[in-house]
Amino acid sequence: MPVRNLSLITFAVVLVSAALGDPVKPLWPEAFSAPFGLYVAFPSVKNATSHFYYDWGNRSTLIDYPQHCINAIPLLSPSHPCKIYFNANGSYLSIPALGKQCCTLFAGVGPVPPAFLAGFNYTGTQDAKDYYGNNHHCNYWSDSTGFGYWTDIQTDLDIYFRDGPTGTYWAWGDLTEGPQNQSLFELPGTPEQCATTCFKLEEETNAVLAAEPMLKLAVAHAARNRRGL
């Protein structure tokens, strides 16, 4: 085929792609809950049942790890359950088995907004499995740090969430939209306890940030807000 014809075909493909455009980024509902399966590379955790509760109107999120906490540092042994809370004032950790009823992870880092894919770019389509092992054909979104997010092409529902190169994944279950019980988001300690910084060493705080994907995403959104993006 002549080179000129190849150029015309390539140009036509570019025009069609531009006309179609990338898929519209899905938005989270204002309030919902969903189970998800936690996967960690080391020590190995596979599809550990966890729960996500969200209420944007009240700027509240709860991540409940009833089987395995995030694997960050020895203090946060994955053999213990833990919870991570987000509100308008910041993010908080509760891991009573290790003597931390409530403490501050990051002041000023609240919930991820409904536009949770802000900062992500459409990368193409891929297949991914959900919490139940069902396969979905998905739009695949990624960012410059290695985050990956898969949403179902037909329903826009969350299917899979990859935390960069850390080997930590979330496999989402069915999302249930609707008002959430506000008692779920109440911090489990006294104001004095919850105002206490969880870790004295910056290295320990950074290790927690590196290990918990939604916390890392919340920090990224807070940084975008500060830059006016």
Side-chain angles (χ1 to χ4, degrees):
M1 182 180 291
V3 173
R4 183 171 180 274
N5 287 345
L6 278 174
S7 299
L8 287 174
I9 291 172
T10 301
F11 182 65
V13 170
V14 170
L15 285 179
V16 171
S17 297
L20 293 175
D22 292 344
V24 176
K25 293 178 180 179
L27 299 175
W28 278 343
E30 288 286 311
F32 70 94
S33 63
F36 66 92
L38 174 67
Y39 289 82
V40 178
F42 182 82
S44 179
V45 174
K46 294 184 178 180
N47 209 28
T49 298
S50 309
H51 302 276
F52 186 82
Y53 303 91
Y54 186 79
D55 187 333
W56 179 246
N58 290 301
R59 298 299 190 271
S60 299
T61 297
L62 168 63
I63 304 172
D64 184 7
Y65 291 110
Q67 298 180 9
H68 297 276
C69 192
I70 51 178
N71 178 36
I73 56 176
L75 179 62
L76 295 184
S77 168
S79 63
H80 296 295
C82 70
K83 294 181 179 181
I84 297 176
Y85 296 80
F86 299 81
N87 62 31
N89 297 317
S91 51
Y92 305 84
L93 170 70
S94 177
I95 182 166
L98 296 181
K100 290 191 178 294
Q101 186 66 30
C102 183
C103 58
T104 296
L105 283 169
F106 291 95
V109 175
V112 172
F116 64 100
L117 288 176
F120 284 71
N121 297 309
Y122 175 67
T123 310
T125 60
Q126 294 183 5
D127 288 345
K129 292 185 183 296
D130 64 18
Y131 171 58
Y132 313 104
N134 301 317
N135 196 60
H136 297 255
H137 193 46
C138 298
N139 290 320
Y140 171 51
W141 313 85
S142 63
D143 73 357
S144 60
T145 67
F147 267 117
Y149 219 107
W150 289 257
T151 58
D152 187 279
I153 282 181
Q154 294 184 330
T155 65
D156 280 342
L157 291 176
D158 303 46
I159 302 300
Y160 209 59
F161 178 25
R162 181 190 67 222
D163 181 16
T166 64
T168 299
Y169 299 83
W170 285 17
W172 286 93
D174 292 337
L175 183 154
T176 302
E177 182 176 355
Q180 302 298 300
N181 187 333
Q182 293 305 299
S183 65
L184 287 168
F185 306 113
E186 293 176 0
L187 296 180
T190 65
E192 291 76 17
Q193 288 175 319
C194 296
T196 302
T197 302
C198 291
F199 308 109
K200 295 181 180 180
L201 299 178
E202 183 178 357
E203 292 81 0
E204 292 178 329
T205 303
N206 289 338
V208 174
L209 177 60
E212 212 300 309
M214 196 60 68
L215 179 62
K216 190 185 299 182
L217 189 58
V219 169
H221 277 282
R224 286 177 57 83
N225 287 340
R226 286 195 295 271
R227 297 197 303 269
L229 299 176

